[in-house]
Amino acid sequence: MPRRERNNFVKKNQILELRIEDYAFGGKGIARIKTEDGSFVVFVPNTLPGQLVKAQIQKSSKKYAEAKLIDVLEPSENEVEVPFQDIPGAPYIQLPIELQHQYKKESTLSLFKRIGKVENIEDLFDELIVSPNVFHYRNKMEYGFSAIGYDRINKTDKDEFTLGFKRRGVWWMGDNLEKDSGLFDKQMEDNLIKIRKYCIETGLEPWHGPQKTGFFRYFVVRKSFKTNELLFNLVTTSPELPNFDLQKFAKFLVELFGERVAGLLHTINDETGDRTIATSGSIDLIYGKDKIVEELLGLNFEISMKSFFQTNPKCAEKLYAKVVEYVLEDKTKVDNTVVMDLFCGTGTIGQIVASRSKNAKIVGVDIVASAIKDAQKNAKRNNIEGLEFYAADVGKFLAAHPEYENKIKTIILDPARAGIAPKTLQKIINLNADRMVYVSCNPATQARDTELLSEAGYQIKKISLVDQFPHTSHIETVVLFEKL
């Protein structure tokens, strides 16, 4: 195995003060260390041009290094004051949203030029779709308990019962959420202090990560924007459970939130791994109901604690509307045909296309069996016909159904962050469809797939960006490919 070439400028674990000068895709700030030959680049995630930061080197090569952000010592001149508590999940909340959009657009389009080899990508750009709610847009939040807290004044750890979020890059240290983070439900987060106080007064211990002991582990909340209801899930270990009154806790939540409480679930997680819901644990309904209902583009979706559902439903409506716009742009390639909806998840896009087309048959495929069950239930609830859902690996499904080759005119793709495996993408190409609408939550892998699609004769006709997650580095893309 060849030795990685090293540099003489930085070493692994070295802590440096760096001035961020530029921005790269994925929220990576670029700092430069002056050298005799010019400069040496250090990438620091979750930083902004203009900031002075303290960072620790994680990886180092001859040409560049990657560092972990420890602290922001000086803000960027572009940052503004906001009335929210800073949390790891919103690193750019102090940057005006227009600048966030500028950084996201420039860095995303550069990926398609550099990795996807699409030189004229700016000419193909359609629009950047903004989130209707810039703040308080999330419909789910996971708050973690910890026996090790963070002292914000002295910037050290301390023994403390915490309920909030992990400190960035420190898996065993919690940071109390004292007020609204600006991402989730304001009333809920303003009351988290009271929930923490209630738990402290029980005398039961929070989870101690290094020791792997404690009772309280997670407090998970889902919200319906349609009904404004909240569904709670308290995650604990089992040994001390007889000493905790779950019904009393449910009553306490009703006192805080009244009719907004849809239900309280309790999950037992005795595993040492850091997951909210254990593979072997139980989940029981303590109070109310175990599901809430959300609406997307006039369709209703029942959501349980385990269901996958778009985190920003108001923006998801805009995302799906753009996907459907691209799919139905040429209705002759949809009406009275079979449309493949691959990596379909809970089948939302396919249902909307089916409800707005004439006699189209939608074949949805996803490897997650629970998502397919939800898709089938939701299609039944919404009285939409012409849908077939299969729980299967997409590549294996296509290999087992050669009858679809040369019969499909339109394909919808919405893969996970890792993108599409080359062998699976080749099977999709073999269907010989006229067009593909490819939705991605990771434009880097989509840009990689673009090169392979281009070699197969598919060219980008349009690309739109969707800012589903304001104040983060994430951006979603919707690309319409057409065969030459």
Side-chain angles (χ1 to χ4, degrees):
M1 205 173 154
R3 263 184 75 216
R4 179 190 286 183
E5 291 188 81
R6 306 217 172 264
N7 64 76
N8 298 317
F9 315 119
V10 298
K11 292 177 182 171
K12 190 177 179 185
N13 296 324
Q14 185 178 349
I15 293 175
L16 301 168
E17 286 188 11
L18 299 165
R19 179 70 68 180
I20 306 301
E21 298 177 15
D22 215 337
Y23 181 93
F25 178 77
K28 289 184 178 180
I30 300 171
R32 293 181 175 89
I33 297 171
K34 286 183 181 175
T35 68
E36 289 179 8
D37 303 327
S39 64
F40 178 76
V41 169
V42 181
F43 292 104
V44 189
N46 302 308
T47 58
L48 291 167
Q51 289 179 335
L52 180 69
V53 303
K54 184 189 282 188
Q56 184 176 35
I57 302 298
Q58 301 289 99
K59 291 180 187 173
S60 177
S61 67
K62 189 178 179 183
K63 294 182 178 176
Y64 66 91
E66 293 182 30
K68 176 178 77 174
L69 175 65
I70 296 174
D71 207 358
V72 176
L73 304 175
E74 289 178 16
S76 161
E77 61 182 17
N78 292 322
E79 291 181 80
V80 295
E81 291 245 350
V82 291
F84 309 116
Q85 181 172 325
D86 61 291
I87 63 167
Y92 307 124
I93 200 163
Q94 290 180 300
L95 187 69
I97 196 71
E98 297 78 17
L99 267 176
Q100 293 183 38
H101 293 157
Q102 181 188 320
Y103 285 146
K104 288 181 179 185
K105 179 185 172 184
E106 289 172 358
S107 61
T108 304
L109 293 185
S110 73
L111 280 180
F112 282 86
K113 190 171 280 190
R114 185 166 46 85
I115 300 172
K117 309 290 192 294
V118 186
E119 288 298 323
N120 65 330
I121 191 67
E122 287 89 358
D123 300 333
L124 308 173
F125 177 70
D126 182 1
E127 64 175 321
L128 191 151
I129 296 165
V130 303
S131 176
N133 304 333
V134 172
F135 299 104
H136 306 113
Y137 61 82
R138 290 184 63 96
N139 64 355
K140 184 183 179 185
M141 209 61 126
E142 295 179 355
Y143 306 97
F145 291 94
S146 177
I148 305 169
Y150 178 65
D151 185 330
R152 283 176 168 250
I153 296 168
N154 298 310
K155 300 192 173 179
T156 58
D157 59 340
K158 62 177 179 179
D159 292 336
E160 181 186 31
F161 189 119
T162 68
L163 175 57
F165 301 104
K166 298 271 169 53
R167 288 293 296 173
R168 184 182 285 114
V170 190
W171 63 270
W172 42 266
M173 192 191 298
D175 190 11
N176 273 324
L177 188 69
E178 306 284 358
K179 63 174 184 176
D180 179 13
S181 71
L183 291 194
F184 190 52
D185 186 87
K186 176 173 167 53
Q187 185 196 12
M188 166 58 226
E189 294 199 324
D190 283 341
N191 275 293
L192 202 65
I193 293 175
K194 292 178 183 174
I195 294 166
R196 183 175 84 227
K197 187 170 178 283
Y198 180 98
C199 294
I200 290 170
E201 288 173 355
T202 65
L204 298 168
E205 295 294 321
W207 184 251
H208 192 296
Q211 293 178 7
K212 306 197 183 308
T213 59
F215 176 70
F216 295 107
R217 295 199 69 168
Y218 283 96
F219 187 58
V220 186
V221 191
R222 294 200 91 140
K223 172 184 177 176
S224 164
F225 280 86
K226 178 183 172 71
T227 65
N228 203 32
E229 289 178 304
L230 300 170
L231 181 62
F232 300 96
N233 182 21
L234 180 68
V235 182
T236 72
T237 55
S238 62
E240 296 278 356
L241 194 53
N243 299 320
F244 184 78
D245 190 333
L246 286 161
Q247 294 293 341
K248 187 181 174 187
F249 183 62
K251 190 179 174 187
F252 168 71
L253 292 175
V254 172
E255 285 169 8
L256 284 181
F257 302 106
E259 292 181 358
R260 294 194 70 197
V261 179
L264 169 66
L265 295 143
H266 173 246
T267 296
I268 291 175
N269 183 355
D270 287 326
E271 294 179 3
T272 54
D274 195 21
R275 279 194 298 265
T276 49
I277 297 175
T279 50
S280 58
S282 64
I283 182 164
D284 297 307
L285 181 64
I286 306 303
Y287 170 86
K289 55 193 179 185
D290 63 353
K291 292 183 180 72
I292 50 177
V293 174
E294 192 56 273
E295 185 179 293
L296 282 179
L297 295 172
L299 303 181
N300 288 321
F301 297 88
E302 214 174 52
I303 309 161
S304 69
M305 226 0 124
K306 290 184 177 181
S307 298
F308 169 79
F309 197 73
Q310 289 286 349
T311 310
N312 181 350
K314 292 296 178 189
C315 194
E317 286 192 312
K318 289 195 160 198
L319 169 71
Y320 291 146
K322 178 55 69 173
V323 175
V324 173
E325 177 193 316
Y326 282 3
V327 170
L328 298 180
E329 188 178 86
D330 185 349
K331 286 200 79 181
T332 64
K333 304 286 173 71
V334 177
D335 291 345
N336 304 304
T337 72
V338 176
V339 175
M340 297 292 279
D341 184 8
L342 304 178
F343 314 98
C344 67
T346 53
T348 311
I349 296 170
Q351 287 187 60
I352 298 166
V353 171
S355 68
R356 298 187 182 187
S357 57
K358 185 181 175 184
N359 198 32
K361 177 183 170 186
I362 313 293
V363 176
V365 185
D366 198 284
I367 198 167
V368 181
S370 60
I372 292 297
K373 278 184 185 172
D374 282 344
Q376 289 164 339
K377 282 182 195 167
N378 288 327
K380 201 171 179 182
R381 181 179 301 105
N382 291 309
N383 294 316
I384 300 173
E385 295 180 352
L387 293 155
E388 287 181 11
F389 291 109
Y390 297 93
D393 172 84
V394 167
K396 288 177 181 174
F397 176 85
L398 294 178
H401 294 274
E403 69 271 16
Y404 287 119
E405 287 185 18
N406 300 310
K407 301 280 173 66
I408 306 293
K409 292 179 179 177
T410 300
I411 298 172
I412 302 163
L413 302 166
D414 189 3
R417 287 189 65 77
I420 305 172
K423 284 184 180 177
T424 301
L425 186 55
Q426 190 54 56
K427 289 187 178 79
I428 293 167
I429 289 167
N430 291 345
L431 289 170
N432 201 29
D434 294 345
R435 49 215 290 280
M436 298 183 193
V437 179
Y438 186 159
V439 189
S440 175
C441 59
N442 186 357
T445 53
Q446 189 182 39
R448 176 202 70 200
D449 294 343
T450 294
E451 190 178 15
L452 198 59
L453 287 166
S454 177
E455 288 168 4
Y458 289 94
Q459 281 197 345
I460 294 179
K461 185 183 178 187
K462 290 179 182 178
I463 176 171
S464 285
L465 311 186
V466 185
D467 188 26
Q468 284 244 89
F469 300 101
H471 321 305
T472 76
S473 61
H474 297 294
I475 190 82
E476 302 227 359
T477 42
V478 184
V479 181
L480 173 59
F481 290 92
E482 289 193 344
K483 196 152 194 186
L484 295 172

